[in-house]
Amino acid sequence: MDRKTVRRYVEAAQSAGLQKSDTSAAVNDELIAAVVDTVRPDRPHGHGAAWEKLLSHEEQITKWVAGGGEQKPLTIAKSEVLPTRKGCVVPYRMLH
């Protein structure tokens, strides 16, 4: 894990009442829920905002990547550029 990620979780656990001297017995469902609420954004459908943006472009991106007829399949890198031109800016990794 990245040290910044670990730091966020540790700080969230300490804010929820966990202390360095506590044993594993101090970790319970309430503490875990408090930590998760702090470090993870609310994702009502299991996906974040970038995913929601992509949904309106899903059919077109699928066609680009699949290719067909005379059109060669596009790479993911190129498939990132085209929606960006239409105002749909999402992380490259999201397209995978």
Side-chain angles (χ1 to χ4, degrees):
M1 296 215 106
D2 183 71
R3 66 178 177 222
K4 292 177 188 175
T5 302
V6 173
R7 185 179 306 129
R8 280 189 10 243
Y9 278 82
V10 169
E11 287 173 355
Q14 289 173 338
S15 294
L18 189 67
Q19 297 181 16
K20 290 182 181 182
S21 59
D22 288 340
T23 66
S24 61
V27 178
N28 56 31
D29 290 341
E30 290 79 23
L31 177 70
I32 293 171
V35 170
V36 170
D37 284 344
T38 302
V39 297
R40 297 289 302 191
D42 183 32
R43 295 180 178 186
H45 303 292
H47 298 288
W51 183 269
E52 297 296 325
K53 283 184 183 179
L54 275 180
L55 287 179
S56 62
H57 300 277
E58 180 181 18
E59 186 177 329
Q60 183 61 56
I61 293 170
T62 302
K63 288 179 184 177
W64 289 333
V65 173
E70 295 180 19
Q71 181 184 354
K72 288 182 177 180
L74 296 180
T75 64
I76 295 293
K78 184 66 175 181
S79 296
E80 177 191 26
V81 171
L82 296 175
T84 300
R85 290 179 184 166
K86 295 181 179 188
C88 179
V89 180
V90 296
Y92 175 81
R93 184 71 182 136
M94 180 63 61
L95 291 166
H96 286 267

